[in-house]
Amino acid sequence: MRLGSKFFNDHAVTVARNLLGKILVINGENAIINETEAYRGYDDPASHAFRGPTPRSSIMFGVPAQSYVYMIYGMYFCLNIICEPEGIAAAVLIRGILAKTSNVLNGPGKLCRHFNINMSYHALDLNTSDVLYVENAPSIINYNSSSRVGISTAKDKLWRFYFKPE
DNA sequence: CGCAAGATTATT
DNA sequence: ATAATCTTGCGA
C-alpha cells in the first residue's frame, strides 16, 4: 500500500520516526529507509523555513506528501518529503537507505547521487507519482535519536532517527 | 547587487 | 581539518 497525504499529514518528528523501515521507491528501485531527520518552521532555527516562506522554502508550507529536492554546497542534492497541513512548515529529510540492488547508502548526498535525483524530482506528489513514492511496511521499533547532522544551530533538538545498531 | 554561509562528501 | 562548488538569502 502506498503512503500518501494521510500518512504525511502529521507532526514532522512523528513522520520521521514512522518512516524508518518503510519502502522508498524511485524509478522502480526499492530501498528501505533507515535514517531520517525532521525539519520544521519557526520553532526550528536549522530549517530552511525558519525565516518564513522564501522561493526555496515555500514548498515546506504547502500540502503534505510532496517531494522537496534542493541542491546543497553546489554539488549534492537532498531529498525531503513535506509533512503537516498546508500553512505549517515541516519536512522530513531522507538521510539513509538500504538499497536492495546495491549496498548501504548513508547520507542524503550519496542517496541522491545513486538514484540520479535532480531538480526534476522536486515538488512531485507522492500520492500519484510513478517515479517517486513510499510503500508501507512494518514500522521499526528499535531506533535511536540524536542531534541532526551538518547544522550549526538547534543542536538540542534530537530530530535525527536511525536504526539502532545491535 | 555583492557576499557569506550552507540539512555534504571525499580527501589530506 | 579542508577543499570542491554554486545556490540562496540577507544586508547595502
Side-chain angles (χ1 to χ4, degrees):
Chain A
M1 187 187 76
R2 174 192 292 229
L3 298 174
S5 302
K6 183 181 176 184
F7 177 84
F8 293 101
N9 190 6
D10 202 343
H11 194 286
V13 173
T14 303
V15 175
R17 263 195 320 244
N18 289 343
L19 270 178
L20 293 177
K22 298 292 186 283
I23 311 296
L24 181 68
V25 185
I26 301 178
N27 286 324
E29 184 171 346
N30 290 22
I32 300 174
I33 299 171
N34 77 335
E35 187 179 344
T36 60
E37 281 179 7
Y39 285 88
R40 301 193 76 248
Y42 300 106
D43 61 339
D44 182 6
S47 165
H48 291 155
F50 177 60
R51 298 164 205 284
T54 65
R56 179 172 61 168
S57 71
S58 59
I59 187 167
M60 289 182 66
F61 292 81
V63 296
Q66 295 179 96
S67 60
Y68 169 29
V69 177
Y70 65 90
M71 169 164 280
I72 190 64
Y73 299 120
M75 38 179 62
Y76 295 104
F77 291 100
C78 293
L79 174 64
N80 302 248
I81 303 176
I82 305 303
C83 303
E84 307 196 32
E86 184 170 15
I88 301 179
V92 172
L93 169 67
I94 309 297
R95 285 196 59 86
I97 58 169
L98 304 169
K100 292 179 178 176
T101 57
S102 60
N103 33 348
V104 178
L105 296 173
N106 55 326
K110 294 178 185 176
L111 184 159
C112 290
R113 191 180 53 190
H114 173 82
F115 289 110
N116 288 314
I117 290 182
N118 52 57
M119 290 311 287
S120 72
Y121 288 78
H122 177 64
L124 297 180
D125 182 353
L126 301 205
N127 293 289
T128 57
S129 173
D130 289 327
V131 298
L132 175 61
Y133 57 92
V134 180
E135 282 281 340
N136 197 11
S139 287
I140 297 302
I141 300 171
N142 291 323
Y143 64 85
N144 272 350
S145 61
S146 76
S147 176
R148 289 170 293 181
V149 173
I151 59 172
S152 54
T153 59
K155 290 180 177 166
D156 57 314
K157 290 185 179 355
L158 304 182
W159 285 1
R160 172 178 176 236
F161 303 97
Y162 54 98
F163 275 118
K164 177 184 292 185
E166 206 128 37

